[in-house]
Amino acid sequence: MRLQVVSDLHLETEVFQPQPAPGAELLVLAGDIDSTWAGLELFRGWPVPVVFVAGNHEFDGREMTEAWPALRERCQELGFTLLERERTVVSGADGRRIRFVGTTRWCDFNLFGDAQSERVLRAAGYFMRVQRSTLDGLPFDAAAVRIEALACRRWLADELATSGDWDATVAITHFGPSFLSADPRYGSQPGTASFCNADDDLLPLAQLWIHGHLHCRHDYRVRHDAGETRVVCNARGHGRKGEADGYDGLFAVDV
Ligand SMILES: [Fe+2]
Ligand SMILES: [Fe+2]
C-alpha cells in the first residue's frame, strides 16, 4: 500500500497547497497541520482516505479536555480518521491488510535517562510555555505532558504487542520514536527530549513508523531480529527558517 506522508505544515503561519501523490492509496497527516484547525479544510474531499494523528500545536492555547472531542468532531465532519490511542485496519488494492496504530505520544522526557532529567525538564518548560495549553484548567506543563506521554506509551506498547488479522503494521506518532530522529541541527541537547522518545524497543513491532514534530526529514531503517523497520518523517516546518527548502509534499512510502 502506498502512503503519502505529510506533517508540520503549520498552516497557522505558512502557506502551502497540498496535492495528492500519484498512486497513493492513503494520506497520513502526522500532526502540526494548523494550530487554528482552519487548514484542515484543504484535505476535505481528498481522493483517498486521510488518517490524522494530532500534533502538539493542534492544542495551542486550548483546554485539552475540550479540544479532543472538538477535534474529533471536526475530523469526522471532514471525513478523516483521527487516531488517538486507536487502531484502524485498511485493505490495500493488493488485498494486504495494514494496521495503523496512532497516538500523538507527546514526550515523556526519558530520552537521556534519569541522570539528565533535571536539565531536560528545564528545557521542556520553554516549549510548554509557548504552547499555553491547559488540562482540567491547570497548565499543561512538562509534568502533565509526561503523565499523558507515559499513558500513550503504555497504550502503544500494548497495542503493538497485539497480534491479529493484518499483514503489516504502521505506527504513527507525532513525536519522534528514537534519538535517531533527532534534528541534526540540535542533536544531543536537553531540548531534544521534548522532540524524541526512547521508543527504540517498540520499533521492531512495526514495519513502518511515521512521525512528525522534528522539522527535518527522515527516512532511515533500523535492523533487528524481526527484520527491519523504516522510520519516516516528512515534516515541512517553517519557511522563514529555511526548513521548507526542497520540501516534497508528494513524498510517499510503500508498506
Ligand atoms: Fe511542528
Ligand atoms: Fe510538533
Side-chain angles (χ1 to χ4, degrees):
M1 182 186 288
R2 180 157 295 181
L3 312 175
Q4 183 176 4
V5 178
V6 167
S7 76
D8 297 84
L9 297 180
H10 288 283
L11 297 170
E12 65 276 1
T13 52
E14 296 288 312
V15 177
F16 181 74
Q17 185 59 52
Q19 303 288 341
E25 296 177 67
L26 188 140
L27 169 67
V28 173
L29 296 177
D32 284 3
I33 301 303
D34 184 345
S35 67
T36 74
W37 302 358
L40 295 173
E41 201 63 43
L42 295 178
F43 300 93
R44 185 193 286 277
W46 201 257
V48 295
V50 176
V51 170
F52 177 48
V53 167
N56 53 304
H57 285 291
E58 265 76 40
F59 301 94
D60 279 0
R62 299 176 197 268
E63 162 59 39
M64 305 292 290
T65 55
E66 292 164 9
W68 274 118
L71 185 60
R72 190 166 291 281
E73 198 178 309
R74 186 71 191 271
C75 287
Q76 218 156 27
E77 195 255 321
L78 289 163
F80 304 170
T81 300
L82 173 69
L83 293 183
E84 175 50 34
R85 286 169 249 180
E86 287 157 295
R87 153 215 313 168
T88 184
V89 179
V90 181
S91 293
D94 59 3
R96 290 173 72 245
R97 287 165 59 76
I98 311 297
R99 168 175 63 154
F100 294 87
V101 305
T103 173
T104 300
R105 179 60 177 91
W106 301 97
C107 43
D108 55 33
F109 307 111
N110 287 339
L111 184 65
F112 300 117
D114 289 342
Q116 293 289 320
S117 59
E118 209 176 297
R119 291 176 65 209
V120 158
L121 286 171
R122 220 178 304 133
Y126 164 77
F127 297 105
M128 300 313 143
R129 281 192 295 278
V130 170
Q131 192 181 309
R132 302 177 339 275
S133 310
T134 60
L135 176 63
D136 289 322
L138 299 169
F140 192 49
D141 58 10
V145 168
R146 186 181 153 87
I147 291 169
E148 192 74 3
L150 290 172
C152 293
R153 153 103 201 171
R154 275 193 298 277
W155 177 84
L156 193 56
D158 286 350
E159 170 60 31
L160 286 173
T162 305
S163 50
D165 183 21
W166 44 76
D167 302 296
T169 293
V170 179
I172 311 168
T173 54
H174 178 62
F175 287 67
S178 169
F179 180 71
L180 295 170
S181 286
D183 188 325
R185 290 174 298 174
Y186 309 114
S188 183
Q189 56 175 278
T192 297
S194 298
F195 288 84
C196 300
N197 291 299
D199 284 342
D200 303 72
D201 59 321
L202 302 181
L203 291 179
L205 301 172
Q207 280 67 50
L208 173 66
W209 198 299
I210 295 169
H211 72 86
H213 197 48
L214 285 296
H215 286 182
C216 56
R217 265 76 81 189
H218 285 297
D219 186 357
Y220 62 89
R221 289 162 198 269
V222 175
R223 275 179 244 294
H224 43 73
D225 291 347
E228 65 175 23
T229 301
R230 185 176 179 183
V231 180
V232 159
C233 174
N234 193 39
R236 183 175 179 276
H238 292 111
R240 67 175 186 277
K241 295 183 186 168
E243 292 168 343
D245 293 353
Y247 186 65
D248 179 9
L250 301 181
F251 176 77
V253 285
D254 294 318
V255 64

